[in-house]
Amino acid sequence: MNRWKEFLFDAKCRLFKPAWWRQYHDSLLHDHWSAERLAEYNWQRRLMVLRFAYENIPYYERLYRSVGLEPGDVKCEKDWERVPMLTREAPRFNFEELHVRQLTPGTYKLYTTGGSTGEPSKVLKDDAFSSVALNWRAKEWAGVSRGCNSATIMRTHPMTWAGRLRHFAAWYPSVNLMLDAGCMNEQTMAKFMDEWKRYKPQTISSYVGGVHQLAVFCLEHNIELPPPKAIFTTAAPLPLSTRHTISAAFRAPVFDNYVATEAHPMANQCRCLAMDNSGALHIHSDYRHLEFVDEQGVNVPQETVGDILVTDLEDRIFPIVRYRLGDRGRLLNRNCACERPYPVMDAVHGRSFDFIYLEKGRIMGECWATAFDDCLNAVHNFQIHQAA
């Protein structure tokens, strides 16, 4: 049955999403490159996105000229450090100047960030490249099928009839169960677990807080669910104790992911890294460039914690170049036993989220920050204090 589903799922993607399929297979080819070839590929793509941003994006042109920098001046890594950093405030207060001058309808989507670092924002994402290709590669690294049944515990939850129909068509012939992370209580979790027992999802994708809350509930009530093959977590740090709780409840390995709305995904764990409990992740350096820098934007030595900057090597609608994510982490001086060429980073420091427990038991997860979607420019920072 799984082989048949995977065959039909792949055939559907080749027919209706040929660009995604090509991107996915291109990404798998990179798994077999040398580290040197991958690094050169990364460098050349950085130069391309830098020149594109300078020539097509008003904000970048003004920013680079203000420091006397032109793309042709960047010839080595030390020159790259001269490229001004893009602050977290820039997309909020200069949104109209950070995308290409002429937007073509149907070539992009608007995304709002969850605000997990305390500052919400919005960006446009280029439809020419889909993060689905990297998500499929992450499944390949975890050893699971693309066409298997799955479950999602996040804030993206189709509510309308048309939305549910699109959701069904996107996942067919597989089934993707959904639990709204913004409304987790005994009733919604019980319904979700009934569906889990019926469809036996092979993968679970969730905010750390969402799947951890479900795991604690299952352990406290001695509930056993059919074990999936992999659990993918994101949006918050994954402490070792939390990883063990989730793995124990669902009898499955946990794979951490580093994702941001501005450039997603950025790093994933393979089976080797998921099993060694180090928290390390492979950086998708063929599509995202991550730097670990000091306050001046200079790269810190390997094994040293610094602020994380990301450059999206694909987006030509709303380019992200040396963007300060608000997270902290470090590049590790190690290779992975899987022998893939991608650089290895430590688990991310500086992102955290707690649940808000309300009187009637409703649990608000990583999704509450979207309350600021309509007034992003009016809210600079936010913080929640729960007194009881």
Side-chain angles (χ1 to χ4, degrees):
M1 177 63 72
N2 285 339
R3 288 183 177 274
W4 174 83
K5 277 189 173 183
E6 184 170 359
F7 174 80
L8 191 56
F9 185 84
D10 290 352
K12 181 189 71 172
C13 292
R14 289 192 189 98
L15 181 62
F16 296 107
K17 295 292 184 181
W20 293 9
W21 190 254
R22 286 194 303 271
Q23 291 162 4
Y24 166 62
H25 277 275
D26 286 346
S27 73
L28 290 183
L29 293 176
H30 303 163
D31 284 5
H32 306 287
W33 284 6
S34 67
E36 293 75 19
R37 182 180 180 185
L38 183 64
E40 177 61 22
Y41 181 74
N42 169 284
W43 172 248
Q44 294 300 327
R45 302 198 77 197
R46 271 188 280 160
L47 296 181
M48 290 172 60
V49 75
L50 178 66
R51 181 169 294 279
F52 179 88
Y54 181 82
E55 294 176 351
N56 295 276
I57 309 299
Y59 184 86
Y60 283 116
E61 180 185 11
R62 187 172 70 252
L63 177 64
Y64 297 163
R65 285 189 173 183
S66 71
V67 296
L69 180 77
E70 295 187 0
D73 299 332
V74 179
K75 302 181 185 300
C76 64
E77 290 290 350
K78 291 304 293 182
D79 292 338
W80 179 260
E81 293 175 353
R82 294 176 50 213
V83 177
M85 293 178 288
L86 186 67
T87 66
R88 287 187 61 80
E89 292 80 15
R92 290 193 294 140
F93 299 118
N94 302 274
F95 178 79
E96 296 298 332
E97 290 194 307
L98 272 167
H99 58 66
V100 291
R101 293 176 175 86
Q102 296 296 324
L103 287 172
T104 303
T107 62
Y108 63 90
K109 289 185 177 69
L110 174 67
Y111 288 86
T112 56
T113 70
S116 60
T117 54
E119 296 177 5
S121 187
K122 61 181 179 179
V123 296
L124 301 179
K125 298 305 296 179
D126 190 346
D127 272 353
F129 180 82
S130 174
S131 61
V132 171
L134 293 184
N135 290 334
W136 285 347
R137 182 165 75 175
K139 286 188 174 183
E140 184 84 16
W141 291 0
V144 295
S145 166
R146 293 173 301 283
C148 63
N149 288 349
S150 59
T152 303
I153 308 173
M154 290 187 183
R155 65 183 170 96
T156 304
H157 197 72
M159 300 298 293
T160 64
W161 178 86
R164 287 193 291 269
L165 182 61
R166 286 194 298 270
H167 181 81
F168 172 83
W171 287 92
Y172 183 82
S174 305
V175 173
N176 178 245
L177 313 176
M178 299 199 74
L179 175 61
D180 187 348
C183 188
M184 289 182 65
N185 53 45
E186 290 194 18
Q187 290 73 33
T188 58
M189 287 192 290
K191 179 181 177 183
F192 179 71
M193 288 186 290
D194 286 342
E195 292 178 335
W196 183 322
K197 293 173 183 177
R198 178 183 177 187
Y199 292 105
K200 300 177 176 60
Q202 296 297 292
T203 66
I204 312 298
S205 300
S206 174
Y207 300 135
V208 171
V211 71
H212 181 251
Q213 179 67 20
L214 186 64
V216 170
F217 182 84
C218 288
L219 291 173
E220 289 178 346
H221 294 82
N222 297 315
I223 297 172
E224 286 195 4
L225 297 170
K229 290 185 177 179
I231 299 170
F232 298 99
T233 62
T234 189
L238 181 65
L240 189 57
S241 60
T242 301
R243 179 191 288 271
H244 285 164
T245 299
I246 296 169
S247 184
F250 304 122
R251 294 165 291 153
V254 181
F255 295 79
D256 198 13
N257 302 273
Y258 184 31
V259 177
T261 302
E262 298 89 346
H264 54 89
M266 296 178 288
N268 285 87
Q269 290 188 314
C270 65
R271 289 193 69 85
C272 297
L273 296 179
M275 298 302 182
D276 72 8
N277 290 325
S278 67
L281 307 96
H282 286 294
I283 299 171
H284 293 298
S285 57
D286 42 354
Y287 300 103
R288 318 281 186 242
H289 179 67
L290 295 189
E291 299 173 71
F292 305 85
V293 303
D294 60 20
E295 291 184 359
Q296 286 71 46
V298 176
N299 282 271
V300 299
Q302 289 182 342
E303 306 288 343
T304 303
V305 174
D307 294 337
I308 302 178
L309 308 182
V310 61
T311 299
D312 188 332
L313 304 179
E314 284 289 340
D315 202 300
R316 296 299 183 268
I317 297 290
F318 198 97
I320 296 294
V321 183
R322 302 202 84 208
Y323 176 72
R324 189 184 288 273
L325 285 159
D327 299 328
R328 289 176 62 78
R330 59 177 179 155
L331 185 66
L332 299 178
N333 183 22
R334 60 167 288 187
N335 296 318
C336 181
C338 73
E339 298 186 348
R340 293 183 176 92
Y342 310 100
V344 177
M345 65 177 288
D346 197 6
V348 175
H349 304 256
R351 305 183 99 187
S352 62
F353 248 116
D354 292 319
F355 285 101
I356 305 299
Y357 292 82
L358 304 180
E359 278 187 13
K360 296 183 179 180
R362 190 181 183 202
I363 303 169
M364 299 293 288
E366 285 80 349
C367 55
W368 58 267
T370 55
F372 303 112
D373 281 358
D374 295 331
C375 54
L376 294 175
N377 292 341
V379 181
H380 186 264
N381 289 284
F382 57 81
Q383 185 177 59
I384 286 185
H385 175 73
Q386 186 172 6

